[in-house]
Amino acid sequence: MKKIYVLILAFFLIFSPLFAQGAYEEAYKETVIFVDSSGRSVEIPKDVEKVAPSGAVATMFLSAFAPERMCTVSGSPSSDQMKYLPSVLSELPETGQMYGSKANLNLETLLASGAELVIDLGSYKDGIADDLDSLQNQIGIPVIFIEANLPNMAQAFRTLGQILSMEERGEELGAFVDETLAMAKENSAKIKEEERVSVMYTSGADGLATNAKGTTQAQVLDIVGVDNAIVVEKVSDKGGGNQINLETAMLADPDVIVFGDKEIVKEVASLDGWKEIKAVKEGKYCTVPSLPYNWLANPPSMNMILGVWWLGNLVYPQYYDYDMGEKAREIYSILWGYDLSDSEIAAFEANSTF
């Protein structure tokens, strides 16, 4: 028995410092100071292994960038969406929206996930620094904001690459955003004034929830060189945009309408008022592709990359001259590692072209 006790004592003397060191390193990871897009200086782990998105937009970005590092999602994707997305997303716990008017944070789930960092991505909003400070104090986990609207998206991907030590992935996606915006800038500059097309982008069952000129939701329209047909005094960046009436739509008389809702497209040509609008009379209307996410907005995330290529090719094919089906195949592969089939390409083209 004495020999056994001696062996046990020797085991603890040899290995307990190693266990203690491991626990110490876990509790006191090396950190760095990161200055986020709101100007906040936040102490974050130097080597981040587990990331939680703050909400839907961040979930979309991270599911494309580094799904293997995610430990939560804001909400589980639908079965239709999961067909195109990394399978790990279906296994992650839901935390809800962490802040803002729709905040429904499940704090217990977040803390149990082992998240080392919460990342918020999207457009800058007034008061965001105070909001994220409050969230960080509430959850006890560092929270950072990275501005990621279209003009800042390439840098956002490169910043994610630096934070997560995935510089190669950050450069791959950043370079593709740069290519997309350069392409749109070059082609939109060729459009003559008399060729400019007015476009109305709507959502909702009645087709009257519009994304007006100047909204984050309508960024793609500006970038590809179309005139947003809906101009209002006070724009709304909420998911439904600005609700207008049919008379306003008729007065705007757009050349093209892109609908977010599939059902109204089936009957719009027979509806009073709608059938008098130029775009409807001439058959220049269709549905925005929506899988795995809406290609224009709702919410605006890296899905807008697809929207730039699609809307430009739809409205100005003489300048945005390429095979959109093949371009979609390329983008799905880059973003989600998914290989679109010929039948899938044909299905989205059937509903999203004139």
Side-chain angles (χ1 to χ4, degrees):
M1 289 294 293
K2 287 183 179 180
K3 289 182 178 180
I4 292 174
Y5 287 135
V6 169
L7 288 172
I8 293 173
L9 179 60
F11 176 87
F12 278 105
L13 287 173
I14 294 171
F15 291 105
S16 61
L18 298 178
F19 291 137
Q21 180 182 358
Y24 178 86
E25 289 177 348
E26 182 65 27
Y28 300 98
K29 277 192 168 185
E30 185 177 355
T31 60
V32 295
I33 299 298
F34 175 76
V35 180
D36 75 3
S37 299
S38 71
R40 299 164 59 248
S41 294
V42 183
E43 187 176 6
I44 67 173
K46 182 180 179 182
D47 299 308
V48 181
E49 297 173 5
K50 292 186 176 183
V51 179
S54 67
V57 174
T59 294
M60 292 164 69
F61 268 102
L62 291 170
S63 68
F65 190 88
E68 70 279 7
R69 300 287 184 91
M70 296 173 68
C71 57
T72 66
V73 290
S74 62
S76 295
S78 69
S79 57
D80 287 342
Q81 291 174 313
M82 275 308 309
K83 177 180 179 180
Y84 304 96
L85 299 172
S87 59
V88 67
L89 298 182
S90 65
E91 304 166 3
L92 297 177
E94 300 178 45
T95 59
Q97 186 78 22
M98 293 194 193
Y99 77 100
S101 60
K102 297 182 179 179
N104 57 346
L105 171 63
N106 186 324
L107 182 58
E108 183 179 356
T109 299
L110 175 62
L111 295 179
S113 73
E116 300 170 315
L117 179 66
V118 172
I119 300 182
D120 181 50
L121 290 123
S123 297
Y124 180 87
K125 304 174 186 67
D126 290 338
I128 193 169
D130 291 338
D131 289 342
L132 296 188
D133 279 341
S134 296
L135 174 61
Q136 184 170 285
N137 291 335
Q138 176 191 3
I139 64 179
I141 301 170
V143 181
I144 60 172
F145 166 62
I146 301 173
E147 190 169 15
N149 55 12
L150 267 173
N152 298 288
M153 193 177 292
Q155 183 55 47
F157 280 129
R158 291 183 173 106
T159 299
L160 280 174
Q162 294 165 3
I163 291 170
L164 302 179
S165 300
M166 298 175 64
E167 288 85 357
E168 186 174 340
R169 178 63 169 159
E171 183 56 36
E172 177 188 22
L173 292 178
F176 190 71
V177 175
D178 284 339
E179 177 190 340
T180 299
L181 296 184
M183 177 276 301
K185 183 177 181 180
E186 177 182 350
N187 288 331
S188 62
K190 299 174 185 176
I191 302 166
K192 300 171 185 176
E193 192 58 36
E194 62 270 20
E195 295 176 314
R196 290 184 72 87
V197 173
S198 65
V199 176
M200 177 179 170
Y201 169 33
T202 82
S203 59
D206 63 359
L208 295 172
T210 59
N211 294 284
K213 183 174 179 61
T215 62
T216 302
Q217 302 276 351
Q219 290 176 75
V220 172
L221 277 67
D222 295 330
I223 286 172
V224 301
V226 304
D227 291 328
N228 193 321
I230 304 302
V231 180
V232 298
E233 186 174 339
K234 188 175 182 180
V235 300
S236 171
D237 261 327
K238 293 181 179 179
N242 288 91
Q243 188 73 25
I244 62 172
N245 55 38
L246 185 54
E247 182 181 3
T248 299
M250 294 174 67
L251 288 172
D253 202 27
D255 300 312
V256 170
I257 303 176
V258 287
F259 290 95
D261 185 85
K262 296 178 180 178
E263 295 306 312
I264 191 172
V265 174
K266 298 175 183 178
E267 57 180 3
V268 69
S270 62
L271 296 177
D272 290 342
W274 282 103
K275 62 185 179 181
E276 303 304 322
I277 295 174
K278 180 181 179 181
V280 178
K281 286 191 293 187
E282 297 182 358
K284 294 293 184 69
Y285 61 93
C286 63
T287 305
V288 180
S290 59
L291 288 173
Y293 307 110
N294 180 296
W295 288 12
L296 290 183
N298 196 33
S301 183
M302 79 290 149
N303 46 327
M304 294 186 291
I305 300 170
L306 275 158
V308 171
W309 292 92
W310 168 72
L311 187 63
N313 179 252
L314 177 75
V315 178
Y316 299 118
Q318 68 273 39
Y319 300 122
Y320 291 81
D321 184 15
Y322 40 80
D323 184 327
M324 186 57 218
E326 290 306 311
K327 183 54 65 174
R329 199 195 305 272
E330 176 189 356
I331 297 173
Y332 272 62
S333 177
I334 291 172
L335 292 181
W336 303 293
Y338 185 84
D339 184 20
L340 276 176
S341 67
D342 291 343
S343 61
E344 287 168 334
I345 291 173
F348 91 69
E349 287 181 335
N351 297 313
S352 63
T353 55
F354 305 139

